[in-house]
Amino acid sequence: MEDQKREVRRELEEMLVGLKINSIVAVGAEAAIVDACWGGNRVIIKYRYRKLYRTKILDNYLRSSRTQHEAKLLLRALSVGVSVPPVLFVDKNRGILVIDYVKGVILKDVVNTLESSKLERVFMSLGANVGRLHEAGMIHGDLTTSNVVLTPEERVVLIDFGLGEFSNELELQGVDVHLFLRILESTHTSLSKILYQYFIKGYESIRGGKTKLVLDKVSEIRMRGRYVASRRRNIRLDLERIKY
Amino acid sequence: MRLHRVHNKKEKMKKVVVLGIESTAHTFGVGIASSTGEILANENHTYVPKTGGIHPREAAEHHSKVAASLVKSALEKSGLKLKEIDGVAVALGPGMGPCLRVGATVARALSLASRKPLIGVNHAVAHLEIARLSTGFDDPLFIYVAGGNTMITTFSEGKYRVFGETLDIPLGNCLDTFAREVGLGHPGVPKVEKLASKGKHYHILPYTVKGQDMSYSGLLTAALRLYREGVPLEDVCLSLVENAYSMLTEVAERALAHTRKTQLVITGGVARSRLLCKKLELMATSRGVNFRPVKPEYAGDNGAMIAYTGALALASNVITPLEESAIKPLWRLDEVEIPWRTKKEK
């Protein structure tokens, strides 16, 4: 892993002139996240580095299309008023996406320390931002409290659009909200109900009557869950119906 | 408190020998193993369809024909008599109903005849346990790939948890079906790989990774289309395996990043694939993770893995009363309690 980090550091410094790397925040399966200073700005670099296990044509194709796709989503989100970090630089052929450094804390880490009036404002604002995103035909794809930054001015910023999509499908909007609810239940268990309510209040302020359609979809998705015992019984029933 | 612990330790070391029967799909296998990891016999016979894929009823007919002689030869190999065995294990699922029924019937009969307890074993758990035994890795992340399964799993809080899996067809099934459709026959994976090694030009095909999960049906359709458009078969095979294996490697890397495990194991029939192992090895090395494939003789379905897992279960006092020994064709891996690993963690 240290070798990998050194390699990422070396490659980035070679490609981006005048880059000063502060730290390598994470090396995920898809990209390295790097905290750096570049051209007088504090920036975050999402670097989809070369994967040696993939053939070069496929690897280049995946890295460039994913980088381009993420940049497009961020720019489009920014243009419809969703709070996301501005894109500063994209080099899709090298898999480099440079965005503005957002000063603040990861929402997940501070949920338990925020007072209730602040929690309400934060989660309503988050809901409104997701509402704007869906209204404009975009899906976040990985909506968790780990992917939200809370700035000192109490602004919420959505990050990591790596699994995002351009789509108006109700199904995908439902999945977005469902995943968020599941994260609330698993990581912020005692507060999950009230936080979800705030979130939906904010979401509804943007989406109005469409909110009900999305929420119906969420309950449908939950019933469908692969691990729900009742679903297995349904399969058996279906099979029997086919048989006779 | 201390006395209690010593007692537990003794119990943990209890050694039992179990005869295990595998019949979930195309292989009928009889193995004999001890809970301390000695494999005393591993006798298997695989049904090969003349045309097309596995026909469950024909496979079951095959199983009932070979069952008696395999039980006999396994006992001979082990040098044990039926009455010297401590229990009879059988894979009750997941798998094809008619095939499972043959194994279960044989196992119930042996259990009644020998008056030894019956142990119902989950086929997927057995693939994982034999991989742990054969690689010597204590707590790895598992990639379990076979004709009927594709999943990434690891042990956590008493059970094997699924981190990622196929959303439609398994990887082995994707390659087998492709091989059959283009006339390469069954089993397809080695044949497709052999042709792939002669391929020269890679063509872009669908690459579907959704977070932790992957999907292979679109890849299969697109590869067949490429073939029908007249692209040389070697090149189609090359592109197909490149995408299929890279997707799995990427998902495995995601799971490694998430779980922070330092050992990676591949088990199941497709574990014999050198190409896939090479990719996984490259990925693991770059993350400082140790990688080992299960030994080839325990990669495909086999009786030994059922016997060994049955022995682990019996040593932890897990038995299946006869009246609860119905087959479970849809038995999920993450439903099974794993007491022999839970004890160790404490």
Side-chain angles (χ1 to χ4, degrees):
Chain A
M1 190 61 105
E2 288 312 309
D3 291 353
Q4 190 70 66
K5 283 187 178 172
R6 223 171 293 131
E7 188 66 13
V8 162
R9 197 178 269 269
R10 196 188 58 77
E11 285 174 12
L12 280 175
E13 279 169 349
E14 200 180 289
M15 289 185 288
L16 303 173
V17 179
L19 184 77
K20 197 188 145 285
I21 293 175
N22 299 327
S23 71
I24 304 215
V25 182
V27 182
E30 207 195 333
I33 307 293
V34 180
D35 176 348
C37 289
W38 194 42
N41 293 319
R42 178 105 180 251
V43 298
I44 289 288
I45 304 171
K46 184 163 186 177
Y47 176 38
R48 290 181 167 86
Y49 59 91
R50 174 120 175 70
K51 291 285 174 189
L52 293 172
Y53 64 80
R54 283 193 295 238
T55 195
K56 210 162 187 176
I57 303 174
L58 175 63
D59 193 54
N60 288 344
Y61 167 76
L62 288 172
R63 292 190 300 133
S64 77
S65 62
R66 285 172 175 182
T67 304
Q68 182 181 31
H69 183 71
E70 187 169 2
K72 275 186 182 167
L73 275 164
L74 282 170
L75 286 170
R76 177 102 184 89
L78 201 63
S79 75
V80 295
V82 181
S83 176
V84 296
V87 177
L88 301 175
F89 178 78
V90 188
D91 184 342
K92 65 168 186 157
N93 293 326
R94 289 164 155 174
I96 297 174
L97 177 67
V98 183
I99 56 174
D100 203 11
Y101 178 85
V102 182
K103 200 177 160 198
V105 288
I106 298 292
L107 182 58
K108 180 188 166 193
D109 301 334
V110 295
V111 165
N112 289 328
T113 64
L114 295 179
E115 52 183 277
S116 66
S117 65
K118 203 167 169 181
L119 271 181
E120 178 168 2
R121 282 198 301 276
V122 167
F123 276 80
M124 268 187 70
S125 161
L126 181 57
N129 274 298
V130 175
R132 266 181 224 116
L133 197 69
H134 286 178
E135 195 64 27
M138 281 171 283
I139 303 298
H140 184 278
D142 193 14
L143 209 56
T144 68
T145 44
S146 308
N147 283 335
V148 179
V149 177
L150 185 62
T151 69
E153 309 84 53
E154 255 185 54
R155 198 165 64 90
V156 297
V157 182
L158 286 173
I159 57 168
D160 195 357
F161 280 68
L163 294 172
E165 276 179 70
F166 284 104
S167 170
N168 277 309
E169 264 182 62
L170 189 59
E171 167 80 23
L172 294 176
Q173 295 170 359
V175 171
D176 243 5
V177 176
H178 156 69
L179 288 179
F180 186 68
L181 176 57
R182 196 168 72 179
I183 278 292
L184 289 183
E185 285 169 345
S186 62
T187 27
H188 311 292
T189 317
S190 59
L191 288 167
S192 69
K193 266 197 186 130
I194 189 78
L195 295 181
Y196 188 60
Q197 268 173 27
Y198 295 152
F199 176 86
I200 294 302
K201 209 163 133 193
Y203 189 83
E204 198 167 18
S205 73
I206 302 292
R207 303 219 67 201
K210 289 176 202 150
T211 310
K212 195 182 172 299
L213 296 176
V214 176
L215 293 184
D216 286 348
K217 203 76 198 173
V218 172
S219 27
E220 190 200 311
I221 291 164
R222 307 216 114 194
M223 284 299 290
R224 221 192 273 161
R226 256 203 306 247
Y227 313 119
V228 180
S230 61
R231 188 201 160 220
R232 182 116 22 112
R233 281 199 286 277
N234 289 337
I235 288 184
R236 286 216 185 110
L237 285 178
D238 285 348
L239 288 177
E240 272 160 25
R241 240 175 272 147
I242 293 164
K243 235 190 265 168
Y244 299 114
Chain B
M1 200 62 201
R2 181 155 287 187
L3 265 175
H4 185 65
R5 277 212 186 135
V6 172
H7 178 69
N8 264 347
K9 210 170 185 179
K10 262 187 192 160
E11 200 178 63
K12 206 159 72 184
M13 278 158 61
K14 185 169 82 178
K15 179 181 165 180
V16 290
V17 176
V18 166
L19 180 144
I21 293 175
E22 156 65 31
S23 75
T24 58
H26 59 356
T27 299
F28 192 90
V30 183
I32 297 174
S34 76
S35 53
T36 49
E38 298 151 275
I39 307 294
L40 305 171
N42 188 19
E43 298 293 296
N44 303 285
H45 198 273
T46 300
Y47 149 80
V48 182
K50 286 191 190 78
T51 56
I54 302 171
H55 190 304
R57 200 192 57 229
E58 283 175 16
E61 264 170 38
H62 160 269
H63 294 350
S64 49
K65 275 180 200 146
V66 299
S69 67
L70 284 176
V71 170
K72 213 175 137 201
S73 65
L75 283 169
E76 271 165 18
K77 282 258 163 76
S78 71
L80 294 171
K81 295 200 176 76
L82 188 56
K83 63 179 179 195
E84 290 171 303
I85 279 171
D86 300 303
V88 179
V90 59
L92 289 177
M96 300 176 177
C99 301
L100 289 169
R101 231 162 261 133
V102 177
T105 308
V106 173
R108 284 181 208 121
L110 286 174
S111 161
L112 284 172
S114 62
R115 292 185 188 157
K116 293 291 156 65
L118 188 70
I119 309 128
V121 168
N122 180 294
H123 175 84
V125 171
H127 270 297
L128 306 184
E129 289 303 342
I130 199 75
R132 278 209 310 144
L133 178 69
S134 131
T135 59
F137 281 170
D138 190 46
D139 183 23
L141 181 84
F142 299 91
I143 303 169
Y144 168 31
V145 219
N149 288 282
T150 301
M151 57 171 76
I152 313 273
T153 171
T154 194
F155 183 80
S156 165
E157 291 175 33
K159 288 178 180 175
Y160 285 108
R161 311 283 168 175
V162 179
F163 274 87
E165 62 187 320
T166 175
L167 295 169
D168 39 56
I169 56 172
L171 170 57
N173 189 242
C174 171
L175 297 186
D176 282 348
T177 309
F178 176 81
R180 202 163 66 222
E181 293 287 317
V182 301
L184 291 175
H186 186 93
V189 181
K191 288 170 183 160
V192 172
E193 270 194 26
K194 202 173 167 203
L195 281 174
S197 68
K198 293 178 191 148
K200 293 207 168 54
H201 300 288
Y202 170 81
H203 296 256
I204 294 273
L205 284 173
Y207 184 98
T208 321
V209 168
K210 295 190 173 185
Q212 299 278 11
D213 296 330
M214 58 225 121
S215 149
Y216 284 105
S217 62
L219 175 61
L220 173 61
T221 314
L224 285 171
R225 193 187 308 132
L226 211 58
Y227 172 68
R228 282 169 196 144
E229 279 167 4
V231 173
L233 186 56
E234 291 85 355
D235 290 350
V236 183
C237 288
L238 169 75
S239 314
L240 173 64
V241 294
E242 175 62 33
N243 275 45
Y245 294 170
S246 295
M247 279 158 60
L248 187 65
T249 309
E250 181 176 340
V251 174
E253 188 168 12
R254 272 177 204 275
L256 281 174
H258 184 83
T259 60
R260 293 171 193 214
K261 298 273 170 179
T262 55
Q263 300 170 327
L264 178 69
V265 151
I266 180 167
T267 188
V270 188
R272 291 198 202 94
S273 159
R274 289 235 182 94
L275 209 59
L276 178 55
C277 287
K278 207 177 121 197
K279 277 185 187 296
L280 291 168
E281 173 108 59
L282 269 172
M283 180 275 285
T285 314
S286 81
R287 297 196 74 85
V289 166
N290 289 315
F291 169 72
R292 272 180 209 162
V294 66
K295 283 192 187 127
E297 66 262 41
Y298 304 128
D301 294 352
N302 63 85
M305 67 181 195
I306 306 298
Y308 174 58
T309 309
L312 289 176
L314 184 61
S316 300
N317 302 317
V318 178
I319 59 165
T320 309
L322 210 60
E323 59 276 16
E324 287 168 28
S325 68
I327 57 162
K328 300 175 180 177
L330 297 174
W331 199 7
R332 265 189 79 89
L333 169 70
D334 47 15
E335 290 172 32
V336 187
E337 300 275 354
I338 312 292
W340 56 91
R341 288 197 64 176
T342 314
K343 263 186 205 161
K344 231 180 193 173
E345 279 203 337
K346 271 174 191 169

